[in-house]
Amino acid sequence: MSFKIPPFTSKYKLIATYRSNGDIWLAMLIDEEPFNFKWSELDSIQDLELKNYLFSLQSDIEAGRYEVEESLKN
C-alpha cells in the first residue's frame, strides 16, 4: 500500500501515522503546533471537532494509508 496524504482542515493537519508497541501513533499539527498521540487514546480527547476529524479518517488510519516507513521515522 502506498502512502496517502491525509485531508486536513484549517486547524487540524494529520501529517502521518506510525505503528509502535502495538499502537498507532498520530503525528499532527493543531493550529500549526506539533501534537502526537496514540490512536487508542482518542476517546480521552476533549476537543469534539478534533475527534470528529480523526473519526472521519478512521478507516484509512487503521488501514495504514497514512503510515510512514520505518526508515523515515528516525
Side-chain angles (χ1 to χ4, degrees):
M1 181 175 306
S2 61
F3 180 78
K4 178 179 173 182
I5 296 174
F8 58 89
T9 70
S10 60
K11 184 174 182 176
Y12 306 110
K13 295 178 180 130
L14 175 63
I15 305 302
T17 63
Y18 62 94
R19 294 182 190 264
S20 179
N21 297 323
D23 207 343
I24 301 171
W25 283 83
L26 292 85
M28 300 187 62
L29 293 176
I30 297 179
D31 290 328
E32 301 303 321
E33 294 294 321
F35 181 69
N36 299 304
F37 70 100
K38 292 188 239 181
W39 180 250
S40 64
E41 295 175 353
L42 182 61
D43 286 334
S44 68
I45 294 194
Q46 300 299 311
D47 184 333
L48 188 57
E49 189 179 352
L50 173 58
K51 232 184 231 189
N52 288 337
Y53 166 69
L54 293 171
F55 275 132
S56 75
L57 304 174
Q58 182 173 4
S59 61
D60 284 338
I61 289 171
E62 291 176 348
R65 289 194 175 86
Y66 309 129
E67 275 187 32
V68 293
E69 294 180 23
E70 187 69 31
S71 62
L72 297 176
K73 291 190 296 186
N74 299 325

